[in-house]
Amino acid sequence: MKKLLLLAAIALLPCLAMAQTETAADAQTTVKAPAEEYCIISTHKGIFERTICIDVDRGQGPEVDKRLRDNSGREMRFNNLADALNYMAQEGWLYINTIKTSNGDDPDYLMRRLVQANKPDELKGR
């Protein structure tokens, strides 16, 4: 008899347990923690040019055009590296480190910024 009661109690235990569920209203009010986005900036300029342009690599792959462009699609030009880094700082990017290349070219610059984790479309548009 004791074995039968124990078996019945064990069989009813999963029915009596309540799992935690998140409703749609709870999901909308949940605050997402910010995530970080990283990029690598490299500079280049033409032979007879005094201004520089920067390439921003966000890890999209080799087939993506990485040149920094303004809203009208023209390549952005800067007076010097400090001007380019100031522009990136205005856009929310923080300088992390300088990456020296082995082939002796100009160094690259690693930067990061905080982005909202619940806004994935912001990353796709770049």
Side-chain angles (χ1 to χ4, degrees):
M1 183 69 172
K2 289 182 183 180
K3 289 182 180 179
L4 186 59
L5 285 175
L6 181 63
L7 184 62
I10 292 175
L12 290 176
L13 188 63
C15 296
L16 299 175
M18 291 185 83
Q20 295 178 355
T21 59
E22 184 176 327
T23 62
D26 292 339
Q28 291 175 354
T29 59
T30 303
V31 177
K32 305 280 186 192
E36 293 179 342
E37 176 185 17
Y38 293 88
C39 75
I40 297 174
I41 293 177
S42 57
T43 61
H44 61 88
K45 67 178 179 178
I47 297 172
F48 299 110
E49 296 179 4
R50 298 183 71 161
T51 58
I52 64 169
C53 298
I54 60 174
D55 294 339
V56 180
D57 183 2
R58 293 184 183 93
Q60 307 99 316
E63 67 280 352
V64 176
D65 182 21
K66 296 174 183 166
R67 291 178 283 186
L68 186 63
R69 298 182 179 276
D70 60 9
N71 292 336
S72 63
R74 291 185 311 226
E75 190 172 11
M76 295 183 74
R77 303 188 96 34
F78 300 96
N79 296 324
N80 51 33
L81 179 62
D83 189 22
L85 291 176
N86 285 335
Y87 172 79
M88 294 300 285
Q90 288 174 356
E91 295 294 314
W93 293 94
L94 298 171
Y95 168 80
I96 296 178
N97 200 359
T98 302
I99 303 169
K100 296 189 179 190
T101 56
S102 60
N103 58 6
D105 289 342
D106 292 335
D108 296 337
Y109 304 92
L110 180 64
M111 301 187 87
R112 73 178 170 122
R113 74 174 171 181
L114 298 177
V115 293
Q116 292 296 330
N118 56 359
K119 292 184 181 179
D121 295 336
E122 183 181 339
L123 297 176
K124 293 177 186 176
R126 288 185 229 143

